[in-house]
Amino acid sequence: MATTAVRPTTRARRELLALVGRTPLVRITADLPGPHPGFWAKLEGLAAGGMKARAAVSMLLGARERGELLPGAPVVESTSGTLGIGLAFAGQALGHPVVLVGDRELEPSMRQLLRTHGVRLDIVDRPAAQGGWQAARLARLHELLAELPDAYWPDQYNNPDNTAGYASLAAELAGQIEHLDVLVCSVGTGGHSAGIIGPLRRRWPALRLIGVDATGSTIFGQPARPRVMRGLGSSIHPRNVAYDAFDEVHWIGPAEAVASCRQLARESFVSGGWSTGAAARVAAWAARVHPGAVVATVFPDGPHRYLGTVFDDDFTAANGLDPATAATRPVEIAHPHATEAVGWVRCTRVTDPLQAVPLPAYAPEENP
Ligand SMILES: Cc1ncc(COP(=O)(O)O)c(C=O)c1O
């Protein structure tokens, strides 16, 4: 395990803040998996620090304003990658050393990229018996908070400043598009979906929000299982998820995400990772089943991080992911507990698992 020393006070470079966001919006017409009328995609991977730079800057600025983060104090967070890049960016812009707790499954290229940007990486090598890698990372994070004087933990899963950071994304979308009927968002911490939908519904009150989760994720009430997909999905119930705002949720399996990422890369050039593939498949489906509707989604990052996973035939074969077997439409279930989603599943009843009245245990639907 690495030592806990961090570099002394870092100089702030506020000029970098001008690089946050302002991402392009592009029309996607690639077959996903077949023809569809097209949808809009916000290409968050094209801004410095990626989508999560918005959240990272917002969380650090909020903490600075409240006096929870002192000038030059270290920032410590648990991350599987994307927020790490955002925090590396925000740390340089606002003058804070960044310490990140990752796990053994963090790709070597991502580790290298984080270190290249001056992050100190602390890698846990064993999942916790309860809560898996996420719980193991959190346990190490608490050790670091105790060891590092004045260290600040943004806690992206429960910090409202994560959500607030996406007000800029909503404003950009509202300026780039004349009308919007359906917004499709992948859900991990819940930050970007919650942050965009509020302002956009004030502008377009009938706007529908579709959440995209991973199979094996417990965010929307399914049982937590080991997952190959990163970014979207979680083995906890983040308080930033705006459960009330969702009209429906889709669970997508890794084969569907892989098939979509590859089709996007081949036909629309822009692509990304697990969350991009999953959100794109659902956005294409929404455009297909709501003829005439304007549909938009967010592509949280680009393809580079996933060259050794999503786009690697050896990886997909080793993980039993055959894009040719990917589901072409969702199976509908009546409530989140109706059956365990192992492939593409859709549900129009969305409840907060921590608030929900107990539902029947997992039992197959009579008419799925
Ligand atoms: C690549 C990627 N996509 C999607 C998400 C989900 O976004 P949010 O956390 O805003 O729900 C994340 C979050 O970590 C991510 O890293």
Side-chain angles (χ1 to χ4, degrees):
M1 186 104 21
T3 69
T4 53
V6 290
R7 281 181 297 125
T9 314
T10 313
R11 185 182 138 193
R13 299 177 202 278
R14 289 206 170 225
E15 63 277 11
L16 296 177
L17 294 177
L19 300 177
V20 177
R22 301 198 182 109
T23 52
L25 189 72
V26 70
R27 188 96 184 135
I28 299 290
T29 55
D31 285 355
L32 286 166
H36 58 92
F39 61 87
W40 296 101
K42 188 88 168 125
L43 305 183
E44 289 293 284
L46 294 184
M51 177 177 88
K52 294 240 164 178
R54 300 184 195 261
V57 167
S58 169
M59 290 191 287
L60 299 199
L61 282 177
R64 283 287 289 265
E65 269 166 33
R66 291 187 298 273
E68 294 166 11
L69 172 62
L70 301 176
V75 173
V76 184
E77 181 60 290
S78 151
T79 173
S80 60
T82 317
L83 181 71
I85 294 294
L87 282 173
F89 173 86
Q92 290 188 20
L94 301 174
H96 297 275
V98 174
V99 182
L100 298 177
V101 184
D103 60 53
R104 219 180 47 204
E105 302 200 351
L106 189 59
E107 304 93 319
S109 59
M110 187 50 117
R111 296 183 193 199
Q112 180 66 9
L113 187 61
L114 289 167
R115 290 191 174 115
T116 300
H117 286 300
V119 164
R120 215 207 75 203
L121 253 191
D122 200 295
I123 301 289
V124 295
D125 53 12
R126 208 170 308 141
Q130 285 242 309
W133 286 112
Q134 213 156 357
R137 293 200 309 258
L138 277 179
R140 177 62 189 143
L141 180 137
H142 285 293
E143 287 174 8
L144 287 167
L145 285 173
E147 288 168 24
L148 295 169
D150 296 330
Y152 172 71
W153 172 32
D155 187 10
Q156 62 162 334
Y157 291 95
N158 303 300
N159 185 339
D161 293 332
N162 169 3
T163 299
Y166 294 101
S168 58
L169 206 169
E172 288 168 29
L173 251 179
Q176 287 167 313
I177 215 166
E178 278 181 9
H179 180 73
L180 189 57
D181 297 296
V182 183
L183 177 67
V184 177
C185 287
S186 59
V187 182
T189 67
H192 79 276
S193 44
I196 308 172
I197 193 63
L200 291 190
R201 274 220 181 110
R202 280 193 283 283
R203 168 138 189 195
W204 297 299
L207 178 62
R208 291 180 64 78
L209 177 62
I210 302 181
V212 182
D213 196 359
T215 54
S217 159
T218 193
I219 296 177
F220 290 96
Q222 286 270 314
R225 303 278 184 234
R227 299 182 308 282
V228 68
M229 300 205 274
R230 317 290 293 211
L232 75 171
S234 181
S235 48
I236 60 173
H237 299 115
R239 292 300 85 199
N240 270 333
V241 177
Y243 288 97
D244 290 349
F246 289 95
D247 295 285
E248 63 182 270
V249 58
H250 289 232
W251 292 270
I252 288 274
E256 285 81 42
V258 164
S260 302
C261 288
R262 292 180 176 196
Q263 213 146 0
L264 280 169
R266 280 196 305 267
E267 295 177 27
S268 280
F269 193 82
V270 295
S271 188
W274 304 106
S275 55
T276 292
R281 202 165 191 90
V282 175
W285 170 87
R288 211 177 285 122
V289 299
H290 300 292
V294 181
V295 178
T297 189
V298 177
F299 287 1
D301 56 9
H304 304 96
R305 181 183 172 188
Y306 307 95
L307 297 179
T309 53
V310 169
F311 298 98
D312 184 298
D313 289 340
D314 291 338
F315 176 90
T316 51
N319 285 278
L321 306 178
D322 179 359
T325 64
T328 55
R329 67 175 72 87
V331 170
E332 190 165 347
I333 58 174
H335 61 78
H337 282 196
T339 190
E340 185 171 343
V342 288
W344 187 357
V345 167
R346 156 181 192 241
C347 184
T348 53
R349 182 165 166 185
V350 181
T351 48
D352 179 348
L354 299 187
Q355 304 284 327
V357 198
L359 286 165
Y362 298 96
E365 280 293 284
E366 281 174 16
N367 297 302

